Amino acid sequence: MSEASSSSIKERDARPATARSTGTETRPNTAGSVLSDPFSTPVSSRAPSILQHPASPSSSRVSFPDSNIGIAPRRSILSQSGFGSPAFSSAVSNASRLSAAALVASPAPAPTSAVPKSKMPRMKSHMLAEGTEVPKPWKEGKNPRAAFSYWIVYFIILIGIAGGAVQCYFTWKNVQLDRHPLCLVLDEEFNDEASVFGPNGTFFREVNMDGFGNGEFEMTTDSRNNSYVQDGMLYIVPTLTEDNIGHNAVFDGTVYNITGCTFNITRPDNGYIIQDGQRVFDWASYLRSCSAVSNSTAGTVINPVQSARITTQKSASIKYGRVEIKAKMPNGYFDPRSFPDVLCLCSWLCLCVPATMWPAIWMLPRDSVYGQWPLSGEIDIVESRGNGLRYTAHGSNYVQGSLNWGPAPQLNGYSKSYSWWEDRRKSFGSDFHTYVLEWTPDFLRISVDTRLHTLLDMKFNIPFFKRGNFPDVINNGSSLVALQNPWINGTNATPFDQEFYLIMNVAVGSTNGWFPEGQGNKPWLDQARNPPHDFAAAASQWYPTWPTNVHDRAMIVDYVKMWTHC
């Protein structure tokens, strides 16, 4: 290093080490300064203790101890590489001293003036004033009204629980049960058609065309088209007559004699009646039962539908006991894919025409001890309609149980002995249900699936003649006569105290009021001149509501069981 350079450095060392400032801010040394140590820590990142150290008042210079006193010289890579020469070390030492002196001489920042805190108002005291008496209601005497109102609540709750228990007890006690020993009379599971419909079969097919006293529009046949056994089930299926004889033959120019007519088998006394004091064969009833003539001029038709009616008249009957049938009722609905030309689609905007099917499982007296219907009674275990759920007079989601009885044909006490069960969401044709009759000398109960779903529950606690509240005189067709009690020598159960046999059938239409007038676009009037003709002529309206699937159209029976009191 030259003497001029050494002299210049000494002069700078002799000047006071004052920091240049712009305004009040001190410019910090940076690594880019000529005189700063390139290996020193920047000012902005040094510890606060260094920045806040006050400058000495006596001198603007900071003296550093000689680095050679008491410290062994350190040989480093710099000294080995030529950077450890005396001239280089002196320059670095002087630069470090200048940088430190500038930091110490920097003025400290002015303290920030403190902001006085606002004085919060003191919260309101809730202490009681001195001398105030503190109320202590628990030391006072009890209010009798408060005690009464407290205990009366628990007393009423106790009374409610006790009343409910008493009601449950008497309800349970009043449920009558058949405690008589039962003997099995019939157990048919439909495994073999020959054992069902054979010569000595369980069921007998009735063949008839006279409407069975209800003005029904079907004829019942012994054909396998209408009743058969398949896969352990009994099927009763209604079909169209025109499928066998043609459409035109149903309406005109045909005399139809039904094959295998059973009139002289099913009628009392084999079809004989007493007329003018003599026993004669009832030919008029026989012709109505076994034949029909279609004539377009007269408006007569051959029964437009064929179906089946099967009974246990020849095989099984009971007087008191239990009957159990598991069956699925027929459904009625509309399939537009099968009838694209029909405009009515059975939606919620259109009710369509009813399906008109009338499935029934019921019982009639074997011997008619008290006279012809309804004097000897009738037990309807279940009746339904094959109409859809939207039918306005109870469709296939409705099942009914009833008793028919009366002292004369025009006096039927049915209205005082019927009830029903209804499912608001689904049809009784969508699945199998178990229908049960419990029958004793004291009561008769009909239920579906469980005793809680009761179709009819009748106690035989008063005589039926008194129950009917019948008039004293009636018109016998020619004059007024006094009404006689046909059950005067019977019991409270009479006429339901004799042998009854089982019947299962699917009827179609009627004129007895089972399908009410003005409901569901009914295509005939009960009091019209020829209701069967009107019904047959409207086949294009009601037939689309019949399911094309036999499983849905048929009444299907899984099993039938009958027990009698031993």
Side-chain angles (χ1 to χ4, degrees):
M1 182 180 295
S2 64
E3 294 181 359
S5 299
S6 177
S7 175
S8 175
I9 292 173
K10 290 180 179 180
E11 289 177 0
R12 285 198 302 270
D13 291 341
R15 291 197 297 267
T18 58
R20 296 180 182 180
S21 62
T22 304
T24 60
E25 297 293 333
T26 303
R27 181 179 180 182
N29 292 326
T30 64
S33 302
V34 177
L35 300 179
S36 63
D37 186 358
F39 301 100
S40 63
T41 305
V43 177
S44 59
S45 62
R46 292 180 183 176
S49 60
I50 298 177
L51 297 176
Q52 296 176 2
H53 193 280
S56 174
S58 61
S59 174
S60 62
R61 294 174 58 90
V62 179
S63 61
F64 293 88
D66 190 351
S67 60
N68 294 326
I69 299 175
I71 300 176
R74 178 182 298 174
R75 294 180 60 84
S76 64
I77 298 176
L78 294 176
S79 62
Q80 294 177 1
S81 60
F83 290 98
S85 61
F88 181 80
S89 299
S90 176
V92 171
S93 178
N94 291 335
S96 299
R97 286 195 295 270
L98 289 174
S99 178
L103 288 174
V104 173
S106 299
T112 305
S113 60
V115 179
K117 295 183 179 180
S118 59
K119 187 175 182 180
M120 298 295 293
R122 187 173 182 178
M123 296 182 65
K124 181 181 178 180
S125 174
H126 291 276
M127 296 179 62
L128 297 176
E130 186 176 357
T132 303
E133 183 179 357
V134 179
K136 298 179 180 180
W138 59 87
K139 290 186 176 182
E140 300 176 358
K142 293 184 178 180
N143 186 349
R145 293 185 178 181
F148 176 79
S149 63
Y150 177 83
W151 289 108
I152 192 64
V153 173
Y154 291 97
F155 178 75
I156 293 175
I157 292 174
L158 181 62
I159 290 295
I161 294 174
V166 171
Q167 183 179 10
C168 290
Y169 170 76
F170 282 105
T171 302
W172 169 79
K173 185 177 181 180
N174 290 332
V175 174
Q176 300 188 82
L177 300 176
D178 186 2
R179 303 187 185 279
H180 292 80
L182 299 175
C183 294
L184 186 64
V185 173
L186 175 66
D187 185 3
E188 182 57 69
E189 296 185 353
F190 304 105
N191 295 319
D192 179 28
E193 185 164 333
S195 65
V196 176
F197 295 122
N200 297 316
T202 305
F203 285 92
F204 168 72
R205 291 177 171 126
E206 288 193 25
V207 180
N208 197 294
M209 302 178 69
D210 68 355
F212 298 99
N214 297 316
E216 300 167 17
F217 303 147
E218 85 285 353
M219 67 174 82
T220 58
T221 75
D222 58 1
S223 170
R224 289 197 79 256
N225 292 334
N226 304 118
S227 59
Y228 58 91
V229 172
Q230 180 177 307
D231 299 328
M233 303 285 182
L234 169 68
Y235 288 76
I236 300 178
V237 188
T239 60
L240 293 181
T241 302
E242 66 180 45
D243 293 341
N244 293 331
I245 65 175
H247 177 78
N248 293 333
V250 172
F251 291 92
D252 190 39
T254 303
V255 177
Y256 187 88
N257 295 313
I258 193 168
T259 303
C261 184
T262 59
F263 171 82
N264 57 339
I265 299 175
T266 57
R267 286 298 177 94
D269 197 14
N270 297 326
Y272 283 86
I273 59 174
I274 303 299
Q275 187 175 10
D276 297 331
Q278 296 182 354
R279 181 176 176 268
V280 297
F281 189 76
D282 189 358
W283 285 102
S285 297
Y286 173 81
L287 293 175
R288 287 194 302 270
S289 300
C290 302
S291 66
V293 178
S294 60
N295 187 296
S296 59
T297 304
T300 60
V301 295
I302 296 171
N303 304 45
V305 175
Q306 296 181 343
S307 188
R309 169 168 162 157
I310 63 175
T311 79
T312 63
Q313 185 177 7
K314 293 184 175 183
S315 60
S317 62
I318 63 171
K319 174 186 175 181
Y320 308 132
R322 177 184 175 94
V323 179
E324 182 176 320
I325 306 104
K326 185 176 182 180
K328 185 184 80 67
M329 296 296 156
N331 256 326
Y333 67 91
F334 181 82
D335 187 357
R337 296 171 298 179
S338 302
F339 301 92
D341 297 332
V342 180
L343 298 179
C344 183
L345 300 181
C346 283
S347 66
W348 65 276
L349 292 174
C350 179
L351 293 175
C352 270
V353 178
T356 68
M357 288 181 284
W358 179 6
I361 301 173
W362 50 302
M363 304 182 79
L364 281 178
R366 185 187 64 186
D367 302 318
S368 297
V369 174
Y370 303 102
Q372 297 307 306
W373 189 94
L375 278 72
S376 291
E378 172 186 323
I379 302 173
D380 297 328
I381 298 175
V382 57
E383 293 180 286
S384 184
R385 298 178 181 87
N387 308 65
L389 300 182
R390 293 188 178 93
Y391 178 58
T392 52
H394 301 300
S396 58
N397 61 327
Y398 171 97
V399 287
Q400 175 179 300
S402 63
L403 301 179
N404 288 261
W405 46 277
Q410 65 270 35
L411 296 176
N412 187 352
Y414 156 85
S415 62
K416 295 179 172 62
S417 55
Y418 83 99
S419 187
W420 66 90
W421 187 262
E422 187 174 15
D423 192 322
R424 296 182 180 274
R425 293 177 175 82
K426 60 182 180 179
S427 165
F428 283 93
S430 62
D431 202 355
F432 284 86
H433 296 271
T434 303
Y435 303 93
V436 176
L437 165 69
E438 297 173 272
W439 177 24
T440 75
D442 301 317
F443 73 93
L444 186 148
R445 181 188 299 116
I446 302 171
S447 59
V448 52
D449 295 329
T450 171
R451 287 194 181 102
L452 299 178
H453 299 170
T454 301
L455 303 185
L456 180 66
D457 192 355
M458 175 167 286
K459 296 179 181 179
F460 298 149
N461 51 3
I462 59 174
F464 274 87
F465 192 80
K466 182 178 180 181
R467 187 191 299 270
N469 193 25
F470 298 114
D472 295 331
V473 296
I474 60 172
N475 190 333
N476 64 358
S478 59
S479 62
L480 295 177
V481 296
L483 180 64
Q484 302 297 322
N485 180 3
W487 315 306
I488 192 169
N489 296 320
T491 66
N492 287 346
T494 306
F496 302 101
D497 58 352
Q498 57 182 311
E499 295 282 337
F500 277 71
Y501 64 91
L502 185 67
I503 305 171
M504 297 189 293
N505 71 285
V506 177
V508 177
S510 72
T511 58
N512 69 341
W514 180 247
F515 297 96
E517 304 283 26
Q519 300 291 328
N521 298 332
K522 179 180 171 181
W524 76 93
L525 295 175
D526 293 344
Q527 303 302 321
R529 179 184 176 188
N530 288 309
H533 177 275
D534 299 339
F535 176 79
S540 61
Q541 301 177 39
W542 52 260
Y543 187 62
T545 67
W546 286 19
T548 56
N549 184 356
V550 173
H551 186 80
D552 292 329
R553 182 189 296 190
M555 180 169 74
I556 306 176
V557 183
D558 186 8
Y559 65 80
V560 175
K561 297 181 181 181
M562 298 174 65
W563 295 266
T564 188
H565 285 182
C566 298

